[in-house]
Amino acid sequence: MTSARPSPRDLLFPADRPRILVLRALGLGDLLTAVPALRALRTAHPHHELVLAAPRRLAEAAAATGVVDRLLPASAPAREVPRTIGWSGPPPDVAVDLHGNGPASHLPLQALRPSRLFAYAHPATPGVQGPVWRADEHERDRWCRLLTWYGIPADPADLRIDAPAGPSPAPGAVVVHPGADAGARRWPPERFAAVAHALYRAGHRVVVTAGAGEGPLARQVAGQAGLPGSAVLGGTADVPFRQLAALVAHARAVIVGDTGLAHLASALGTPSVVLFGPVAPRLWGPPRLPRHQVLWHPGHTDRARPGDAHGEQPDSRLLRVTAAEVLTAVARLPEPVRAPAAAPAVAPAAAPAVAPVS
């Protein structure tokens, strides 16, 4: 495969400059929760090329972080770790495990013989001298703590990304996203439809978004809500990231379960109502700000992970959330604040290069 055109950062720095390889071969929400850590790495190593090993479909989202130079395609089924990483050329100066903890993610990175490996300690890989893993920790905090342990200051609150320059396909709309990659985090479609119908009747423009394969679900919600067919965006394939980000950046609000679009709303500062079930919001929730309303109904003895986040059926805690509660939470949201995007020091490329590293 041939390399894409060089990015502005490639033109500023020689091709043989040292490289940082970051393993985060997961989904959109996972990428966005890693933004504070990625930004800290860029600040600490401004002259390195920062290479992100992640699924190819995240190339535009990686570009939107403003810190990734190259996306090295890497993926595995479900949330497993790629067994190998397609790296060639000199070993990376720094390899960073932002994927998980233990041999599954340590060994593919160690096989590349990096000068330094940043990762959490695990008894099965005694050569990794990192901090102790904590299961009960917010995802943004986890990766910032890892870097801080290695002497790189990282702020979990530094999660914002700039809105894309293009126009929104539905400015001012309320975005309803009924999908999730597991049934356990999927609120019933008839409840999403009830919320969408009430908002539409109240005069709001409502858009129902869908990822690849979620078209039938989105059309069901839109149909039951009495929305026009044009209210559905996506479904056959993922909505292109730039279009999705423009939609969210200029939305009145986002109503969503615990999935990637919730993290996109947080990253863009868009008001949101986020519904939780099998996992507590203190592990994956938005920042604790008035513009983000979280709905969760745990039992008295529930811990941070009381359910199976990847189960097939809606979690019982998620089913305790009612349509009336969601509408009340939407009414509590402040109006969006449209902050002007800061001018970047270097004009960004359309996307980072997506190519092997040689």
Side-chain angles (χ1 to χ4, degrees), residues 170 172-176 191-208 221-232 252-253 255 323 326-327 330:
V174 176
V175 177
V176 174
R191 300 192 197 180
F192 272 114
V195 169
H197 175 72
L199 293 170
Y200 185 57
R201 287 287 301 272
H204 290 279
R205 183 176 185 180
V206 179
V207 171
V208 182
V221 170
Q224 292 181 355
L227 304 178
S230 59
V232 175
R252 167 64 186 94
I255 303 171
V326 173
L327 290 168
V330 172

Side-chain angles (χ1 to χ4, degrees), residues 108-119:
L109 291 173
Q110 287 181 318
L112 305 180
R113 298 179 292 108
S115 299
R116 293 173 289 170
L117 172 60
F118 297 166

Side-chain angles (χ1 to χ4, degrees), residues 8 15 28 91 119 139 144 312:
L28 175 61
E139 195 73 358
C144 288
E312 296 181 0

